[in-house]
Amino acid sequence: FVGNSTYLDDHGPLPQKVLPFPSQVVYNRVGKCGSRTVVLLLRILSEKHGFNLVTSDIHNKTRLTKNEQMELIKNISTAEQPYLFTRHVHFLNFSRFGGDQPVYINIIRDPVNRFLSNYFFRRFGDWRGEQNHMIRTPSMRQEERYLDINVCILENYPECSNPRLFYIIPYFCGQHPRCREPGEWALERAKLNVNENFLLVGILEELEDVLLLLERFLPHYFKDVLSIYKNPEHRKLGNLTVTVKKTVPSPEAIQILYQRMRYEYEFYYYVKEQFHLLKRKFGLKSHIRKPRPRPEFFIPSPLETEEPIDDEEEDDEKWLEDIYKR
C-alpha cells in the first residue's frame, strides 16, 4: 500500500488528505436487526459525504479461521480511509494481528422478536415478492417450511433450541470457540467488548434515537441520516419489507424461548441500559410507553417492533438510491 506522499511532482509531495476521526469504522451487523435499512442509508450517505463504504458479498460466514481473520483484517485495513466496513461477522480483534483497532458500531433487537423475524422470513419472505423466500431457501422441504412455530419450540427442533438461539452475543464476544457456547464466559466477554471497542450499540426499537446519536458521534459518516430516514419515499419502502405470514407463538412457547435465551436477554438488557444512559447524557428522552418488566414476569407481544428491511443484499432499492443522489 503506497501513500500519496511517495508521489512527487514539480511542487514536492501531494498534500495529505485530512481525515476525520475516527477514519476506520466497522459495522459488524447482526442479522435481522434492521441492518438492511442502515446499509441502504449508508449507501446514500457515502455518496453524499464522500467516505468509502466497503461492503461484503459474504452473508453467511460469521465465524472465521485464524487465517481468514488475518486475511479479512488485512483487506479492511488497507481500504482507502475514511472507510466504513460492513458485514455479518462476529467481532474481530484487529490489534491481535498487529492492526489498528477500528471503531465498532452495531444495533441489536429484542431477542425473541429477532428470532421470530428470522424464522418466518426464511420461510415466507416479505411483500417485495411472493417467490422471494423460494429463491432464498430453495432446498427447504414443504413440511419444514410450514412447520408450526409452536411445534418447533415445544418439540425442541434444532432451529428452535440452543445453540441456534445463542445468536446475538457471538457478534460482540468474537471469534473464540467459547463465544459460541451459551454461558457466562461469552456473555461477560461480549459486555467487555461493548465497553472497550464499540462506540455505540443501539437498539432497533429506538432506531431514530440510534441514528440521532450516530449523527452526533460520527458526523462525517452520518450527518443528515435522520432526515433521509424520515423521507416519505424511504418510509414507503419499509412497508414492503414486513415479513409475511408471521404468527405469535403461544404464551407457553414464548416462556420456553425466554428460558433458552436467558443469556441473550441479559446481554440485551445490559446494552439497552447503556444506550439509555448515553441518551440521557446527550439530553434525549426515551420514548417508552411504560417500563416493561423482565421476561420471566410477562408475555410480550413479539410483533410490536417495526419490521426492518431484510439483511440480504439486493439491488432492488436502486430506485430509492436515485432519489437521494440529487
Side-chain angles (χ1 to χ4, degrees):
F1 182 74
V2 185
N4 280 342
S5 59
T6 58
Y7 292 96
L8 298 175
D9 59 17
D10 295 340
H11 307 96
L14 290 171
Q16 284 285 356
K17 186 176 178 182
V18 178
L19 296 172
F21 180 81
S23 61
Q24 302 170 82
V25 179
V26 171
Y27 172 32
N28 64 321
R29 52 205 182 103
V30 182
K32 298 308 290 175
C33 289
S35 67
R36 182 79 182 281
T37 300
V38 179
V39 170
L40 172 56
L41 290 168
L42 281 167
R43 286 185 188 150
I44 297 160
L45 290 165
S46 67
E47 294 218 354
K48 191 176 168 74
H49 301 318
F51 63 85
N52 182 17
L53 180 62
V54 186
T55 56
S56 173
D57 294 330
I58 302 166
H59 306 296
N60 54 3
K61 192 166 176 52
T62 52
R63 308 161 187 176
L64 309 176
T65 65
K66 191 176 174 184
N67 283 341
E68 287 169 338
Q69 288 177 61
M70 286 170 72
E71 190 64 26
L72 182 57
I73 286 170
K74 189 176 124 191
N75 288 343
I76 297 170
S77 300
T78 54
E80 185 191 348
Q81 297 181 24
Y83 70 71
L84 190 149
F85 173 78
T86 180
R87 172 177 159 178
H88 295 300
V89 65
H90 294 166
F91 175 78
L92 290 160
N93 189 338
F94 282 58
S95 50
R96 183 185 167 207
F97 298 101
D100 292 333
Q101 190 67 12
V103 157
Y104 272 84
I105 56 172
N106 218 322
I107 299 171
I108 65 172
R109 177 186 191 181
D110 178 280
V112 165
N113 286 346
R114 196 217 70 82
F115 166 75
L116 293 174
S117 179
N118 189 58
Y119 184 90
F120 291 105
F121 184 81
R122 285 186 67 236
R123 286 161 170 75
F124 306 113
D126 58 35
W127 293 112
R128 283 172 298 168
E130 287 180 23
Q131 297 308 309
N132 222 6
H133 56 288
M134 297 297 185
I135 298 159
R136 228 171 271 282
T137 52
S139 59
M140 190 180 278
R141 301 190 312 278
Q142 285 299 87
E143 58 267 32
E144 187 186 350
R145 195 177 299 282
Y146 292 96
L147 174 64
D148 182 86
I149 183 79
N150 292 303
V151 172
C152 185
I153 296 164
L154 298 173
E155 297 187 12
N156 217 17
Y157 278 69
E159 189 178 352
C160 298
S161 59
N162 280 322
R164 292 283 188 89
L165 300 178
F166 193 68
Y167 182 88
I168 297 171
I169 286 174
Y171 275 88
F172 299 87
C173 177
Q175 297 289 337
H176 192 288
R178 286 186 74 182
C179 287
R180 301 193 287 276
E181 296 168 11
E184 290 291 333
W185 189 91
L187 170 65
E188 291 308 317
R189 183 157 166 161
K191 286 182 185 175
L192 188 69
N193 273 336
V194 165
N195 294 337
E196 292 185 353
N197 291 297
F198 283 80
L199 178 69
L200 179 71
V201 183
I203 56 168
L204 182 64
E205 293 83 355
E206 297 167 45
L207 182 58
E208 287 194 10
D209 287 342
V210 178
L211 297 177
L212 208 58
L213 285 176
L214 284 169
E215 188 168 353
R216 187 166 289 191
F217 294 164
L218 297 169
H220 185 81
Y221 299 86
F222 286 96
K223 191 174 185 303
D224 301 325
V225 65
L226 204 56
S227 56
I228 295 169
Y229 175 69
K230 285 180 160 181
N231 183 297
E233 292 294 338
H234 184 280
R235 308 304 291 172
K236 189 171 74 180
L237 180 69
N239 296 332
L240 299 176
T241 59
V242 176
T243 302
V244 298
K245 303 194 183 189
K246 199 177 194 182
T247 56
V248 183
S250 68
E252 183 191 2
I254 283 185
Q255 287 297 354
I256 288 171
L257 275 185
Y258 271 123
Q259 287 306 311
R260 290 176 187 169
M261 301 175 93
R262 64 187 181 278
Y263 294 111
E264 294 274 275
Y265 268 98
E266 199 171 325
F267 182 71
Y268 173 72
Y269 282 118
Y270 176 79
V271 165
K272 191 174 186 176
E273 195 177 341
Q274 299 299 310
F275 182 64
H276 285 168
L277 284 171
L278 205 56
K279 277 172 58 171
R280 280 202 294 278
K281 187 176 169 183
F282 285 92
L284 296 178
K285 289 190 173 67
S286 295
H287 306 295
I288 297 173
R289 296 177 200 90
K290 57 183 178 183
R292 304 203 320 178
R294 296 276 165 144
E296 54 267 34
F297 303 119
F298 81 105
I299 300 298
S301 165
L303 301 182
E304 65 185 36
T305 311
E306 179 191 334
E307 191 62 31
I309 299 176
D310 178 59
D311 293 306
E312 301 294 330
E313 293 299 321
E314 290 172 20
D315 290 324
D316 58 358
E317 324 89 353
K318 186 81 180 65
W319 61 274
L320 182 65
E321 289 184 47
D322 292 338
I323 292 168
Y324 297 109
K325 278 181 182 169
R326 56 179 178 271

